[in-house]
Amino acid sequence: MSAVPSSATPSTGAAPWYAGLGDFLKGEADAWLFVLRVALSFFITGWLAMRMGLPQPGTAMMTTIIVMHRQSGMVLAKGFYRVLGTLVGAAAALAIVALFPQQREPFLLVMALWIGACAAGATLHRNFKSYAFVLAGYTAAIIALPVISTHPGQVFDSAVARISEVMLGLVVSAVISDTVLPVRLRDTLRAAVRGQYANFLEFVREAVQGELPRERMEQAHLRVVRDAVTLEDLRSSVIFEDPEARARSLHIQQFNQRFMAASTSFQSLHHLINRLMRMDNTDAAQSLVALYQPLGNALQSAASLAPEALATRIHAVHQALPDRAARLREGLADRAQAEDFEVGTGLLLRFTHELEAYVQARAQLLDRVVASDGVEQVHFVRGNDHVGAGLAFIRTTVTMLLLGAFWIATGWPMGANAMLLATIFSGLFATVPNAVRLTVRMSGGYLLGLVAGYACEFEVLTRLDGYALLVAGILPFFIVGPYLTTRPKLAALGLGYAMGFVSILALTNPMVFDPQHFFNDSLSQLTALAAALVSFMLLPSVAGSPWLRRRQMAALRAQVRLAAQGPLPGLRHRFESMNSDLVHQIVVHTTPGSEDSRRLLAWALAVNETGRALIHLRHDVAREPLPGPLHKQVDAAVAALADFFQQPSRHAWWRADQQLRQASDAAREEAGQRGVARQVLRHLRLVRLAMVDDHSVMATYIVATDPTLEELPRAH
C-alpha cells in the first residue's frame, strides 16, 4: 500500500481577474434572497399578530429572527425544536408560579435552577436539540417573570399569549422559507452522500494502487470523521423538510454506519502493511499487496458504474480471496510471516465484505421504491462530557441568582427584562468555545441594534402612520442584520444587531413612543449582556478548552473498555459513532497540523483498530465458545488492553503485552483443532503488532521488562 511522494502536485496556471466574479455575484444573489425571505417572514408575522390582537407582536417577530436560516430544512428543524422548547418551558413556568405565586425568593431560586438545568442540557446535545433546551429555559422566564411581581394569576394567560406568538412566527417562517425561492437542505444532503461515496471509493482505489500522497493517507481518518458527522447532522435536519428523506432516514443511517465500518477496516489494513514493512517482514507485506491488487482493478471507473454493478465486482473479488490467499501463503515458509499474512487476509476479507455492503447501501438510496424490510436499525451515538454540563449549570444558575437578588434588593422595574436576556445569552453560548469573545461580538452588534432602534423609532416611525409606512420605515434599518449574518466573519455581529434592533423596537398595536421606557429597557438589556459576559469570564465555557480536550481524549481511549465489556448487540455501531463524534469534537478545536492534532489522530487510529479487533473477537467467541483455560486467558488479555487504554503507562503496556503473548500462545496451540481459536489468534496478533510498533502512539510506553521491578531496591 505504497504512496506517491508528497511533492507530486499538479501545476496550476494563474486565474484571470474575472474568474471569481461569477461566484461573487451568485453569493450576493443568494444573500439578498435570504434577506428577502427573512424580511417577508418578519413583516408578515407582525401584520398577522396585530390583526389577531396578540399582546406582544414583537415576540412573534423576534421568533422569525431566531429561526432564520438560509436553508428551508434548517428553518423547519429549528422551528420544530423551538415548539418543543416553548411548550416545555410554558409547562415549567406554570408549575413554578403555581408553587410560589407570592414568594419571589423561592420562585427565583427554582427558576434559576430550571434555567441552569436547561443550559446544562444544551451542552449535551447537538444542533437544534441543544437549542430546544435553551428555549425551555428562556420561555419559562419570559412567561413567568413579567407576572410574578404584579399579577401571578395571569400566568396562564401569559403562557397562552407567548405560545400563540411563537407559533405564529414559526408558521410564517416555515411557509416563507419553503415557498419563496427556497434553498433545499435535501440538495445539500444528496451532494454530501454523493461526495462521501465518490471520495471514499477513489481514496481506496488510489491507496491500493499506490497513487496517493502520504500526507493524504495520514489525514484520511479526519476526513472520514468529518464526513460521517456531517452526514448525520444533515440527516437529522432534512427529515423535517422532505417526506422522501424521512422515508429514507434509516437507509441513510445504515449507509453512514457502513461507511464508518469500511473506513476503519481499511485503515487497519493500511497500517498493518506499513507496520510489517517497518518490521522487515516484507515478504508478508508484499504478499498482502499482491492479494488486494484485484480490488484496485475492480474499483477502476467506480464513479461511473452503477452501485449494483460495482457491488458485483467487489463480491467477485471477495469470493476469490481465500483461494488467492492460500496460493500466496504457500510462498511464506516462516511461521511468523504466515501468521502476519493471515492477519492481513482476515482484514482484507472483512474490508471487502464491508465495502460491498456500503456500495449496496448506496444502491438502496438510489432505488425509486423505499423499502424498510431488511434495513438495519442503527443509531448515531454521541459522546458527551457531563462535567462540562455541570459547569454550565453552575455558571447559569449563579448568574440568574445574582440578577434575581439584585432585582429584589433594588426593586428595579426592569430587573425582569435583564434576567430574560441574560437567560438567552447564557444558554446560547454555553456550548461554544471562547464564549467571551463571541459575547463581545454579539454585544457590539446588539449595541448597534439599540442605536438603530432609537433612530428608527423616534426619528422615523413617529412621522408615519399605517402598517405599509411602518414597513417602509423599518426596512432600511432591519435588513442590515440578516445581511451581515450571511458573512461568516460578521455573522455574530449581524445576529446581535438583529436581536438588539427587534428587541428594543418592541412593536405593539397601537405603538407607544416612550423615551424614558426606551432608555430603561436599553439599560436592562445592556446589563444582561454585561452579566453574561462577566459570568463567562469568571467561569469560562469548557468547550474547546485544553482541559476538556484532555477529558475527551481520555473518553476516546476509554472506548476500548466499551469494546471490551459493552453488550454485544449494536456495540460496533455505538463504538464507531461515539469515536467519530469524540474525534470531531476535539479536532474542530485543534490547530491542523499541530502536535495536538497529530497525537489525536494517532490515538484515534489506535483506539479504532484495537476496539474493532476486540469487538470482532468477542463476536467470534460468542458464536463458538473457547475452551475454559483459553477463554480465561483471552479475557485477561482483553481486560489488560482496556486497562492500558484507560490509563496508559509503561507498566500497563507491559502487562497487556504479557497477557497478549500468553493468550496468543494458548490460541496457537488450539488453532489446529478449533477454527474459532484461529480467528482469535488473528485478532490478538493484530492488536499486538500495533502495541509493539515503535512508530505508533504506544512507542513511549514500550518496555522490555516490568518497570515496577526496576523501582525495587537492589539487594546488597
Side-chain angles (χ1 to χ4, degrees):
M1 198 168 287
S2 58
V4 299
S6 59
S7 58
T9 56
S11 60
T12 57
W17 65 268
Y18 54 81
L21 182 60
D23 293 337
F24 171 77
L25 293 177
K26 183 180 184 303
E28 284 296 298
D30 291 342
W32 284 107
L33 285 175
F34 168 69
V35 173
L36 171 65
R37 288 192 294 271
V38 175
L40 285 174
S41 301
F42 181 79
F43 290 112
I44 291 174
T45 297
W47 181 77
L48 289 174
M50 292 180 182
R51 294 286 293 178
M52 296 168 65
L54 295 178
Q56 295 183 12
T59 300
M61 300 171 82
M62 176 64 83
T63 298
T64 66
I65 300 301
I66 295 177
V67 301
M68 64 180 180
H69 201 281
R70 301 180 75 167
Q71 294 173 311
S72 60
M74 292 297 188
V75 173
L76 295 171
K78 203 171 185 180
F80 173 80
Y81 287 111
R82 181 173 174 85
V83 169
L84 289 183
T86 299
L87 294 176
V88 172
L94 292 173
I96 296 172
V97 173
L99 289 173
F100 310 103
Q102 295 178 330
Q103 299 169 291
R104 281 202 303 177
E105 291 78 3
F107 164 82
L108 289 174
L109 173 61
V110 175
M111 180 61 71
L113 292 172
W114 169 256
I115 295 171
C118 290
T123 66
L124 298 177
H125 294 79
R126 310 289 185 272
N127 298 331
F128 302 131
K129 292 181 182 179
S130 172
Y131 174 72
F133 280 87
V134 175
L135 261 294
Y138 167 64
T139 303
I142 200 175
I143 290 173
L145 288 176
V147 301
I148 190 64
S149 297
T150 56
H151 304 288
Q154 295 181 359
V155 65
F156 183 78
D157 294 337
S158 177
V160 172
R162 297 298 85 76
I163 292 174
S164 301
E165 291 154 1
V166 168
M167 291 296 294
L168 176 63
L170 294 177
V171 170
V172 173
S173 295
V175 171
I176 295 298
S177 67
D178 201 47
T179 56
V180 179
L181 302 172
V183 178
R184 299 296 185 189
L185 185 60
R186 68 184 178 213
D187 297 332
T188 304
L189 175 64
R190 289 170 180 170
V193 170
R194 288 194 301 268
Q196 184 199 94
Y197 178 75
N199 291 338
F200 183 61
L201 292 181
E202 183 64 13
F203 162 68
V204 173
R205 186 196 65 78
E206 290 180 348
V208 299
Q209 293 188 341
E211 300 175 4
L212 200 66
R214 189 170 293 106
E215 65 271 14
R216 284 182 59 192
M217 289 292 294
E218 294 173 352
Q219 294 300 315
H221 182 68
L222 295 182
R223 186 175 66 187
V224 166
V225 167
R226 183 181 63 250
D227 289 349
V229 175
T230 298
L231 190 59
E232 173 59 20
D233 289 343
L234 288 172
R235 183 205 63 81
S236 64
S237 295
V238 78
I239 58 176
F240 296 98
E241 173 192 81
D242 187 33
E244 183 181 355
R246 285 196 297 274
R248 296 183 184 274
S249 180
L250 289 177
H251 294 82
I252 297 172
Q253 283 184 306
Q254 178 178 260
F255 174 79
N256 206 23
Q257 290 287 356
R258 289 179 176 179
F259 167 65
M260 290 186 288
S263 62
T264 299
S265 296
F266 183 70
Q267 287 158 7
S268 295
L269 177 63
H270 160 66
H271 286 285
L272 172 66
I273 293 174
N274 284 348
R275 201 171 286 135
L276 294 177
M277 288 182 174
R278 287 196 300 268
M279 293 174 161
D280 293 330
N281 198 344
T282 54
D283 290 343
Q286 293 299 332
S287 296
L288 287 173
V289 171
L291 182 63
Y292 65 60
Q293 196 61 43
L295 178 62
N297 298 332
L299 293 177
Q300 291 287 351
S301 305
S304 61
L305 281 177
E308 294 87 349
L310 181 58
T312 301
R313 281 189 184 184
I314 298 172
H315 181 74
V317 172
H318 180 78
Q319 292 294 103
L321 275 177
D323 291 339
R324 185 176 176 85
R327 292 193 298 270
L328 290 170
R329 189 182 186 283
E330 291 175 357
L332 299 173
D334 184 77
R335 188 193 70 178
Q337 298 254 8
E339 284 187 357
D340 292 342
F341 177 75
E342 284 196 10
V343 172
T345 300
L347 275 177
L348 185 57
L349 283 167
R350 187 172 86 195
F351 170 65
T352 52
H353 175 72
E354 292 170 345
L355 184 62
E356 180 187 352
Y358 173 64
V359 174
Q360 288 173 341
R362 174 60 176 152
Q364 290 178 338
L365 287 176
L366 295 175
D367 287 342
R368 291 184 177 273
V369 179
V370 181
S372 297
D373 297 340
V375 179
E376 189 177 5
Q377 295 278 349
V378 296
H379 298 284
F380 195 99
V381 182
R382 304 287 188 171
N384 291 313
D385 189 280
H386 291 82
V387 174
L391 289 176
F393 171 79
I394 295 171
R395 178 180 57 246
T396 306
T397 302
V398 170
T399 301
M400 294 301 105
L401 288 175
L402 291 176
L403 285 174
F406 178 75
W407 179 24
I408 294 173
T410 61
W412 186 24
M414 306 303 293
N417 288 4
M419 290 192 68
L420 286 178
L421 194 60
T423 300
I424 298 176
F425 279 86
S426 297
L428 284 178
F429 300 155
T431 61
V432 300
N434 203 341
V436 173
R437 182 172 61 184
L438 185 58
T439 305
V440 170
R441 290 180 180 177
M442 285 279 290
S443 300
Y446 207 95
L447 182 59
L448 291 176
L450 296 180
V451 174
Y454 177 85
C456 179
E457 182 170 346
F458 295 103
E459 300 297 332
V460 178
L461 297 186
T462 54
R463 295 174 170 81
L464 303 177
D465 186 26
Y467 196 77
L469 291 179
L470 179 140
V471 172
I474 292 176
L475 185 62
F477 297 94
F478 173 76
I479 61 175
V480 174
Y483 180 78
L484 289 177
T485 61
T486 65
R487 299 294 180 262
K489 293 183 178 180
L490 300 174
L493 185 72
L495 180 58
Y497 175 92
M499 291 181 66
F501 178 76
V502 176
S503 177
I504 200 61
L505 210 56
L507 293 178
T508 58
N509 188 20
M511 188 69 179
V512 177
F513 299 96
D514 185 350
Q516 182 179 0
H517 181 273
F518 181 94
F519 285 109
N520 282 333
D521 197 6
S522 299
L523 180 60
S524 69
Q525 294 184 33
L526 292 176
T527 301
L529 287 170
L533 179 61
V534 171
S535 70
F536 283 117
M537 293 175 66
L538 295 179
L539 193 58
S541 173
V542 298
S545 65
W547 175 82
L548 183 59
R549 282 204 301 272
R550 289 192 296 270
R551 288 183 58 83
Q552 289 170 331
M553 285 293 296
L556 178 65
R557 293 194 301 267
Q559 288 296 100
V560 175
R561 184 170 296 280
L562 172 66
Q565 299 176 353
L568 280 177
L571 178 59
R572 180 169 61 85
H573 304 312
R574 182 183 178 192
F575 172 81
E576 288 168 348
S577 57
M578 287 187 69
N579 278 3
S580 295
D581 189 57
L582 282 168
V583 173
H584 187 262
Q585 288 183 65
I586 303 171
V587 77
V588 295
H589 303 306
T590 305
T591 304
S594 65
E595 180 61 29
D596 286 344
S597 179
R598 288 191 291 270
R599 186 170 179 80
L600 162 65
L601 177 61
W603 272 116
L605 293 172
V607 168
N608 273 357
E609 187 171 13
T610 304
R612 279 292 299 278
L614 295 186
I615 291 171
H616 284 283
L617 183 153
R618 293 180 60 201
H619 275 292
D620 290 339
V621 173
R623 282 192 296 267
E624 184 180 343
L626 294 170
L630 176 57
H631 201 298
K632 292 179 65 175
Q633 288 182 309
V634 170
D635 284 348
V638 169
L641 281 168
D643 290 340
F644 168 73
F645 277 88
Q646 183 82 36
Q647 191 65 45
S649 68
R650 298 172 68 195
H651 174 68
W653 181 95
W654 181 86
R655 182 172 174 274
D657 183 63
Q658 293 301 306
Q659 294 291 350
L660 282 170
R661 286 175 183 243
Q662 294 172 14
S664 298
D665 292 341
R668 192 175 291 112
E669 293 177 4
E670 293 280 345
Q673 302 176 7
R674 297 175 182 269
V676 65
R678 188 174 181 180
Q679 295 292 334
V680 167
L681 178 59
R682 288 178 180 176
H683 298 312
L684 295 175
R685 180 69 177 169
L686 173 63
V687 173
R688 187 166 187 276
L689 285 172
M691 292 285 288
V692 300
D693 184 2
D694 57 6
H695 284 70
S696 73
V697 73
M698 271 86 80
T700 56
Y701 304 104
I702 297 176
V703 290
T705 59
D706 185 356
T708 58
L709 298 178
E710 300 174 3
E711 299 172 2
L712 296 176
R714 297 183 179 180
H716 295 283

